[in-house]
Amino acid sequence: MKISKLNLVKMLILSMVVVSSCKKDGISGDSPNQEDVKLNYELKYTDQQLKNWKETGSPFLETQQKNASNTKIEKHIPSQGGVFDPIPVGTKAYGPHPYQNRYWSMVRLKLAIPGTTTDNQLLKARVVQAINGIQANTNVRFYNSINDLEKDPTWGFVYPNVHIHVSSDAKKGASFVGLQGGEQYIYLPITATKEFIMRALVNAAGMYNEQQRNDRDTYVNINTANVDPVNRYQFDKITSNFYSMGSFDFNSITLAGSTELSNNGQRSIWKKDNTDIVANTTLSDLDRGFLNYFYLPYIARTDTYRELATTVYDGNNNILTAQQRADLEYYINNGASNPGTSGRSPVVPW
């Protein structure tokens, strides 16, 4: 594995900030109790972000891009970021341009599902299964911030957190994706499956939905007349300030199934060969590659040392050797020695 120092610097910048964005999406999944229940998950935009999207092709304008100096990121700026060289060749998942600095270091979650009923306990258990499933196969790490302060005691800003709550609608979930600034929410229907929740979490980690790729018309047909008007913008393309590489990923967990968002049972999206798209229930290799390319598996600490988990993936989903991992940790800490386990944050159970 070759590690680019330039890309390491980019990754250090990326890893200290958070992905922001929003978008609606549909996830279907069978209820563990009722086979006929169809779950719908909506990733939401603010009204201003929808306006931005319509006017510029991106939900985010200059003030929301943090380090961007222009409303639009210039096309000549390479869509590259992350730690590992060479950049993986082939299909890549779809997400914000790295220059937007919208990727978490660790995704901060507050799992606010009270264990007062059996159904709540089962839902919470499935959330934990989804978290563990993503962490087991990617560099993404979720941090339990339930006991953390709401605001910074010195500067007074609200810490970014994703609250996970039970939805008031048994069939419908909703969430803002990534950092909105301060507190944001994921609402889960009580029957949400592990796969449903995994899709919500990877959206929160910065993955756009595959059907909104700027080049999607080469690979799929879309008929928005068959989509509920409330959900039609879920099929609008993001045409600026995005990151993509390679071709469409039909195996992505973020891709809507043919009738997921239909208002009449007819297909709203299908393949160019006229076959249906079945919603995926697992992370594709390309989903994992995207997440592994933009994330490092940090261990939460109370000091400033950046400690990596034992297993670290590169952008091709290969596990680094022990020496490669040690070299990487040495580099991102500017040669500082590991101060030991005493500086680790206490592990708070989900």
Side-chain angles (χ1 to χ4, degrees):
M1 180 198 73
K2 177 183 175 185
I3 299 178
S4 162
K5 290 186 178 181
L6 175 60
N7 279 340
L8 274 167
V9 172
K10 290 180 182 176
M11 182 59 195
L12 289 179
I13 296 172
L14 287 168
S15 67
M16 299 308 292
V17 293
V18 202
V19 169
S20 161
S21 160
C22 304
K23 155 155 100 69
K24 284 189 166 183
D25 170 356
I27 297 179
S28 68
D30 291 335
S31 162
N33 301 314
Q34 296 174 276
E35 293 183 357
D36 294 334
V37 172
K38 179 179 179 181
L39 305 180
N40 183 275
Y41 182 80
E42 295 183 350
L43 304 186
K44 294 184 176 294
Y45 281 105
T46 64
D47 291 342
Q48 181 60 54
Q49 287 170 333
L50 287 172
K51 184 174 183 289
N52 297 346
W53 191 358
K54 295 295 185 184
E55 294 178 352
T56 71
S58 171
F60 307 105
L61 299 182
E62 178 181 355
T63 57
Q64 298 166 300
Q65 289 172 3
K66 300 195 180 355
N67 293 343
S69 59
N70 301 308
T71 297
K72 287 189 177 181
I73 297 172
E74 296 297 331
K75 292 182 178 179
H76 70 271
I77 296 177
S79 292
Q80 299 180 8
V83 173
F84 304 105
D85 264 349
I87 294 174
V89 176
T91 305
K92 287 291 290 182
Y94 197 53
H97 193 288
Y99 277 45
Q100 290 179 299
N101 287 341
R102 300 198 173 279
Y103 297 91
W104 305 77
S105 52
M106 300 181 76
V107 183
R108 295 169 55 89
L109 295 182
K110 290 188 175 182
L111 185 50
I113 299 177
T116 53
T117 67
T118 300
D119 285 343
N120 279 11
Q121 292 170 1
L122 291 172
L123 177 60
K124 186 172 182 179
R126 291 192 294 273
V127 173
V128 175
Q129 289 172 359
I131 290 170
N132 291 339
I134 294 171
Q135 291 188 150
N137 293 286
T138 73
N139 289 335
V140 176
R141 291 296 180 269
F142 298 94
Y143 170 73
N144 189 348
S145 58
I146 194 71
N147 294 331
D148 286 6
L149 296 174
E150 180 182 348
K151 295 183 178 180
D152 183 271
T154 302
W155 304 104
F157 64 87
V158 178
Y159 290 123
N161 286 291
V162 179
H163 281 254
I164 301 181
H165 290 268
V166 180
S167 172
S168 58
D169 188 325
K171 297 182 181 180
K172 187 174 183 180
S175 171
F176 284 102
V177 178
L179 178 65
Q180 295 298 307
E183 305 290 354
Q184 58 201 71
Y185 299 90
I186 290 178
Y187 292 99
L188 296 174
I190 198 67
T191 55
T193 63
K194 181 184 76 170
E195 295 79 14
F196 183 107
I197 300 163
M198 286 179 67
R199 189 165 173 183
L201 292 175
V202 299
N203 280 134
M207 294 181 66
Y208 284 157
N209 299 306
E210 202 72 8
Q211 71 267 15
Q212 294 184 301
R213 284 177 60 118
N214 69 312
D215 61 352
R216 57 97 188 280
D217 294 329
T218 303
Y219 304 94
V220 297
N221 297 312
I222 290 175
N223 184 354
T224 55
N226 292 333
V227 181
D228 188 316
V230 175
N231 293 324
R232 282 179 186 167
Y233 71 86
Q234 298 187 47
F235 291 91
D236 289 348
K237 290 183 287 188
I238 294 175
T239 59
S240 69
N241 298 351
F242 59 82
Y243 173 87
S244 68
M245 182 179 176
S247 58
F248 203 88
D249 182 8
F250 285 103
N251 295 316
S252 175
I253 200 170
T254 69
L255 178 61
S258 285
T259 60
E260 277 189 84
L261 302 176
S262 176
N263 64 346
N264 56 14
Q266 301 299 309
R267 296 187 299 185
S268 55
I269 181 173
W270 62 96
K271 297 179 182 179
K272 285 293 185 181
D273 64 5
N274 204 37
T275 58
D276 286 346
I277 296 172
V278 178
N280 300 291
T281 59
T282 59
L283 296 179
S284 71
D285 287 342
L286 306 169
D287 291 338
R288 293 180 57 225
F290 180 90
L291 296 172
N292 289 332
Y293 185 58
F294 283 102
Y295 281 87
L296 289 176
Y298 291 117
I299 295 173
R301 298 183 63 91
T302 57
D303 53 29
T304 59
Y305 189 82
R306 298 183 179 96
E307 184 178 5
L308 300 176
T310 301
T311 299
V312 182
Y313 293 95
D314 67 14
N316 291 306
N317 300 331
N318 299 313
I319 298 176
L320 302 190
T321 66
Q323 187 60 55
Q324 288 171 332
R325 178 207 166 278
D327 290 344
L328 179 57
E329 185 171 294
Y330 179 86
Y331 187 88
I332 63 178
N333 286 286
N334 297 314
S337 299
N338 190 325
T341 59
S342 61
R344 293 181 179 178
S345 298
V347 177
V348 180
W350 295 105

